[in-house]
Amino acid sequence: MTIRVMLVDDQVLLRTGFRMVLAAQPDMEVVAEAGDGVEALQLLRSTPVDVVLMDVRMPKLDGVEATRRICQDTDPPKVLILTTFDLDEYAFSGLKAGASGFMLKDVPPGELLSAIRAVHSGDAVVAPSTTRRLLDRFAPMLPSGTKQPEHKELSRLTEREREVMILVAQGLSNGEIAARLVLSEATVKTHVGRILTKLGLRDRVQVVVLAYETGLVRAGGLG
């Protein structure tokens, strides 16, 4: 199956570079390009897309708002936020808006391709530990910096599911969680699936975001 990719960035040279890398892959095709969020939304109405590589800083409509609108649609494409990391304060907002992960703009070609394939298959595009480092960096963006009211759905989690959620948010993989809790990796995967279902979340990235927002975990450790 060919992965249909849309490139959204106001830098033509950057889009050209990404397009060249993707065009060399037998399982990928760049089906659309846009220079801003407005153009991207227009193209998505008529062009089937599986994965959107989305810049955040663009004219007319930035990538965060474009991502939010895309993810509100029924069966939307996966969105990967493109960020400069050190300069981009919008990365956290992009994850909150529904993006399945984030990538650095200077990502090596191999990592870019792996990320696209991973998110297309339904996995989180970045390692949980990488996501946690990003959220640690932007934790001061959370209101008041104090513990926030719990998401009402958190009360639906069992004690074990809550424990697993905390470890996911701390950046542990399923294998590491299994070792920590003396469970099988398959059991941990089942718990993660139930957490996603009960909380109405799409992937592990959103689990981490929610855990930080509710104060279940805080930068550098537990809430």
Side-chain angles (χ1 to χ4, degrees):
M1 176 184 292
T2 300
I3 303 174
R4 300 164 297 188
V5 180
M6 170 186 277
L7 306 177
V8 185
D9 197 296
D10 60 342
Q11 298 182 44
V12 177
L13 287 177
L14 188 65
R15 297 204 310 266
T16 300
F18 281 168
R19 184 174 65 248
M20 291 175 62
V21 171
L22 271 58
Q25 304 305 305
D27 60 339
M28 295 184 191
E29 178 185 5
V30 176
V31 296
E33 295 184 36
D36 59 66
V38 172
E39 186 179 4
L41 293 173
Q42 292 173 340
L43 287 170
L44 283 172
R45 296 191 186 106
S46 58
T47 307
V49 173
D50 299 310
V51 178
V52 178
L53 299 186
M54 179 76 73
D55 187 23
V56 288
R57 300 190 179 197
M58 298 181 293
K60 297 183 181 178
L61 186 69
D62 66 40
V64 173
E65 181 57 29
T67 296
R68 182 175 293 109
R69 296 185 191 184
I70 289 171
C71 292
Q72 287 175 345
D73 290 341
T74 302
D75 193 24
K78 301 291 186 180
V79 178
L80 305 185
I81 292 292
L82 296 173
T83 172
T84 53
F85 189 70
D86 286 335
L87 300 176
D88 183 14
E89 68 272 20
Y90 299 116
F92 179 77
S93 298
L95 295 177
K96 286 184 61 179
S100 294
F102 73 95
M103 301 165 54
L104 301 181
K105 281 195 172 185
D106 60 354
V107 61
E111 291 184 22
L112 169 66
L113 299 172
S114 295
I116 293 172
R117 293 186 180 106
V119 74
H120 179 252
S121 69
D123 293 334
V125 70
V126 291
S129 58
T130 305
T131 304
R132 182 169 65 90
R133 285 197 297 271
L134 174 76
L135 294 175
D136 281 347
R137 177 178 176 81
F138 292 109
M141 295 174 60
L142 296 176
S144 75
T146 59
K147 188 168 182 176
Q148 301 301 304
E150 279 205 352
H151 188 288
K152 62 180 181 180
E153 298 301 323
L154 287 182
S155 62
R156 299 180 58 192
L157 299 181
T158 65
E159 183 176 349
R160 177 64 84 187
E161 288 165 353
R162 192 182 183 93
E163 195 172 10
V164 169
M165 181 175 178
I166 289 172
L167 294 177
V168 168
Q170 289 179 323
L172 275 66
S173 66
N174 284 354
E176 292 169 334
I177 294 172
R180 177 78 64 87
L181 300 180
V182 194
L183 299 171
S184 71
E185 194 165 343
T187 297
V188 172
K189 185 175 181 180
T190 297
H191 282 313
V192 172
R194 288 174 178 167
I195 291 168
L196 295 176
T197 299
K198 288 183 178 182
L199 300 182
L201 304 176
R202 182 161 36 203
D203 52 37
R204 296 172 73 101
V205 173
Q206 293 190 345
V207 170
V208 179
V209 171
L210 181 60
Y212 272 70
E213 285 191 309
T214 59
L216 190 61
V217 298
R218 299 285 294 280
L222 296 177

